[in-house]
Amino acid sequence: MFSQALLVTISGVVFALLAAFALTSRSAQYPPGPPSWPLFGVALNHPKTEFWKTYAEWGRKYAADAFNLLSKRSANYSDRPYRTMASRLMRREKSIFVASYNDLLKTYRRLMHQSFNPTASQMYWELEEEEARVLVDNVLSSPQNLVQHLRRNAAAVIMKIAYGYPVTCNDDHFVKIAEEGIKIISMAGAPGKWLVDSFPVLRFLPEWFPGAGFKRQAKEWSQTLYSQSLEPHMWVKEQIRAGTAIPSFTSTLLQPADGHTVDADEEDKIIWTSGALYLAGADTSVSVMETFFFTMMMHPLVQHKAQDEVDRFLSAEKRLPTLRDQAMFPYVGCVLKEILRWAPPAPFGLFHCTTKADVYKGFLIPAKTSVMANIWAIMHDETTYPNPFMFDPTRFLGDNPEPDPRDYAFGFGRRICPGQHLAEHSIWIQMVLSLLTMNISKAVDADGRVVEPEVAFTSGAVSHVKPFKCQIDPRPGISLSLVRVALQNS
């Protein structure tokens, strides 16, 4: 069913080592790929922006079944390729994003699963509800700062959960260094950006050598990223010593229930796991919420239908919705699904890698081959989602709904995002309270003309709708008053 929607890009076809190997070994039949150059593979033709669209074109011509590989054969396809720039040179071997599928990664995932599984994640509902109320109050107070408010909200939720740290302003120090970390990871991991990823031998160049500036950059970025994890961790330890630590992911792990003293190895694992929480969740959540405001502005009929649903709840219940009420909002749930489908925040996810050689549909996939699922292409395959470029939440309603995009948006197999439920809940309550309290429409310029925004997205590991202007106005009624009363009482 999904064979035309799913793309597996084999980096071994792309890069130099496999190209050289293919010239000397004709007995093995490798998966087909796009036209390439000797030694350089497709690096010279690699797109610089929205590359998932080019990958989708390649996929229509050279498609493979990512679902069968990354999920059904996840035991072999859950490793990570060792990128020279983003992994080796930046000393990120212990990062959950690039760690091999080994005992260390299993420890990370166990720590996250016990705190963020569907049941455990409910302990954060009250926090997510409170921060969503703060968000709508801030947006309606200064709508021109929409994106800053969205980023502050994402930071506040993650920093409170990870460290018990309260974020009270948009320019918080910890938020700034974490935001810098997100930018670094996006730049360091961009496909085709770093020549050293195609020619790993270049890593042996001395830093002073002409053209070796990438090594100095990697060293600087490595220090910045580690500080992003270490500084808030040390803040928690100070709070514990002072007896003022708020229960959090980090403080709980530093004070285990059995009373044993956490050793240096355990603490190192805690630092890396907690640090991954912000990098994994904050930017993607912001991306989804930006798309929510954009699509509500572009599709007023969808917005009005969703508002009718939340208004009926308020009229009947005489209170603000909470996360316990999700089942009462089927259309809003479909809006969230359609946002994830229409503009997936991570258009191609993170690279997977084979642990050992595999044969699929008669093709040899060598050990340590990088494999990537083009999530954007999955979500825009017309055989799975008819009229894929149309924003239509009703595609998920009725007796024969289209496939749930959440099955793909959060990754595959044993590398699926462990914070999926946490992210979904936080986004859902923000959407519901925004629909309840505000009208979102296209901006109007000084001459009274409607500003038509561009439908375009940034390129990177996390993609954002490009900056846009919109008009945000408070809705009539008691909803905003209820939000502000709840904030006063919290």
Side-chain angles (χ1 to χ4, degrees):
M1 176 179 179
F2 300 101
S3 62
Q4 295 303 312
L6 308 177
L7 170 69
V8 175
T9 298
I10 307 301
S11 68
V13 175
V14 175
F15 299 122
L17 291 180
L18 187 54
F21 180 78
L23 294 174
T24 59
S25 177
R26 299 293 184 180
S27 59
Q29 185 176 6
Y30 297 104
S36 60
W37 295 84
L39 296 180
F40 289 96
V42 299
L44 298 179
N45 299 323
H46 194 279
K48 302 302 181 185
T49 61
E50 295 188 66
F51 27 84
W52 45 88
K53 293 184 178 180
T54 300
Y55 292 172
E57 290 299 321
W58 291 348
R60 275 186 270 275
K61 204 171 181 182
Y62 312 109
D65 196 339
F67 185 79
N68 283 341
L69 297 179
L70 301 184
S71 292
K72 290 186 177 180
R73 302 190 188 187
S74 61
N76 189 33
Y77 285 82
S78 294
D79 210 346
R80 284 278 193 250
Y82 202 59
R83 305 283 295 281
T84 305
M85 182 66 178
S87 302
R88 185 188 300 273
L89 291 179
M90 291 175 57
R91 297 181 296 175
R92 301 294 292 172
E93 299 93 336
K94 295 181 180 180
S95 167
I96 191 172
F97 305 108
V98 300
S100 297
Y101 191 72
N102 52 25
D103 289 341
L104 178 62
L105 181 70
K106 292 175 184 177
T107 298
Y108 291 159
R109 294 190 65 83
R110 175 178 56 79
L111 295 176
M112 287 191 169
H113 179 74
Q114 67 189 27
S115 294
F116 307 126
N117 64 62
T119 300
S121 62
Q122 294 181 22
M123 73 177 70
Y124 307 113
W125 281 6
E126 184 176 346
L127 166 63
E128 291 172 317
E129 291 162 359
E130 179 180 352
E131 288 300 335
R133 294 192 290 267
V134 173
L135 172 69
V136 297
D137 185 40
N138 286 342
V139 170
L140 286 169
S141 297
S142 54
Q144 70 276 11
N145 297 324
L146 172 64
V147 174
Q148 292 94 316
H149 296 319
L150 294 176
R151 291 199 173 279
R152 181 225 161 267
N153 174 269
V157 171
I158 295 296
M159 295 297 284
K160 196 70 170 288
I161 291 172
Y163 303 107
Y165 178 82
V167 174
T168 58
C169 60
N170 291 348
D171 61 350
D172 180 273
H173 169 68
F174 286 150
V175 175
K176 283 184 175 180
I177 61 173
E179 290 286 335
E180 180 64 20
I182 290 172
K183 294 177 183 177
I184 288 172
I185 287 178
S186 181
M187 290 186 288
K193 182 176 179 63
W194 304 100
L195 192 60
V196 70
D197 286 335
S198 298
F199 300 96
V201 69
L202 295 178
R203 73 183 186 273
F204 295 113
L205 291 175
E207 289 186 11
W208 53 263
F209 196 83
F214 65 90
K215 293 194 69 173
R216 298 187 294 274
Q217 185 68 81
K219 184 176 181 180
E220 177 186 335
W221 281 351
S222 174
Q223 294 169 347
T224 300
L225 287 176
Y226 191 66
S227 294
Q228 180 265 326
S229 300
L230 183 61
E231 285 193 38
H233 178 87
M234 298 305 295
W235 180 86
V236 175
K237 292 184 70 173
E238 292 175 5
Q239 300 299 304
I240 292 174
R241 283 193 291 267
T244 58
I246 297 174
S248 66
F249 181 81
T250 299
S251 66
T252 299
L253 293 177
L254 287 174
Q255 303 172 99
D258 62 9
H260 80 269
T261 301
V262 173
D263 61 27
D265 181 63
E266 287 179 282
E267 185 170 356
D268 189 58
K269 291 182 174 69
I270 295 169
I271 292 172
W272 284 96
T273 309
S274 298
L277 292 176
Y278 189 97
L279 295 176
D283 203 29
T284 51
S285 296
V286 172
S287 170
V288 174
M289 284 304 299
E290 287 173 338
T291 302
F292 164 74
F293 277 90
F294 184 83
T295 53
M296 293 305 96
M297 171 188 68
M298 298 293 288
H299 303 279
L301 294 180
V302 173
Q303 181 181 178
H304 294 159
K305 187 171 182 178
Q307 287 175 330
D308 286 344
E309 189 172 72
V310 298
D311 288 348
R312 287 195 299 273
F313 176 91
L314 182 63
S315 177
E317 301 292 330
K318 303 295 190 298
R319 63 175 175 85
L320 295 175
T322 71
L323 281 160
R324 299 189 184 280
D325 303 314
Q326 292 177 70
M328 301 180 70
F329 299 87
Y331 187 74
V332 174
C334 291
V335 172
L336 175 54
K337 291 179 185 179
E338 182 68 341
I339 288 171
L340 293 174
R341 186 205 66 82
W342 186 76
F348 57 91
L350 296 177
F351 286 72
H352 289 233
C353 178
T354 52
T355 302
K356 59 184 180 181
D358 191 21
V359 176
Y360 182 69
K361 294 184 176 180
F363 295 112
L364 172 65
I365 302 176
K368 298 304 177 183
T369 294
S370 297
V371 180
M372 182 183 65
N374 190 336
I375 295 171
W376 185 91
I378 295 171
M379 305 299 200
H380 291 80
D381 173 37
E382 60 274 7
T383 63
T384 304
Y385 299 104
N387 299 316
F389 294 94
M390 178 183 294
F391 188 85
D392 179 17
T394 63
R395 67 175 74 242
F396 304 112
L397 294 174
D399 296 331
N400 189 30
E402 294 173 17
D404 192 334
R406 294 175 297 181
D407 292 340
Y408 316 112
F410 293 95
F412 296 85
R414 303 180 188 187
R415 286 283 185 170
I416 196 168
C417 174
Q420 172 180 349
H421 306 290
L422 193 72
E424 281 190 62
H425 297 155
S426 184
I427 292 165
W428 184 90
I429 191 62
Q430 292 175 61
M431 287 173 46
V432 167
L433 293 188
S434 297
L435 289 164
L436 196 63
T437 59
M438 61 186 76
N439 288 318
I440 307 160
S441 57
K442 294 178 181 178
V444 177
D445 64 20
D447 297 322
R449 293 173 297 192
V450 173
V451 178
E452 292 294 339
E454 177 188 15
V455 182
F457 297 85
T458 64
S459 300
V462 177
S463 177
H464 296 258
V465 62
K466 287 190 174 180
F468 62 94
K469 293 182 179 180
C470 65
Q471 179 75 29
I472 299 176
D473 299 297
R475 297 185 68 203
I478 64 169
S479 56
L480 183 55
S481 297
L482 289 175
V483 167
R484 287 173 172 162
V485 168
L487 286 173
Q488 291 173 359
N489 295 333
S490 61

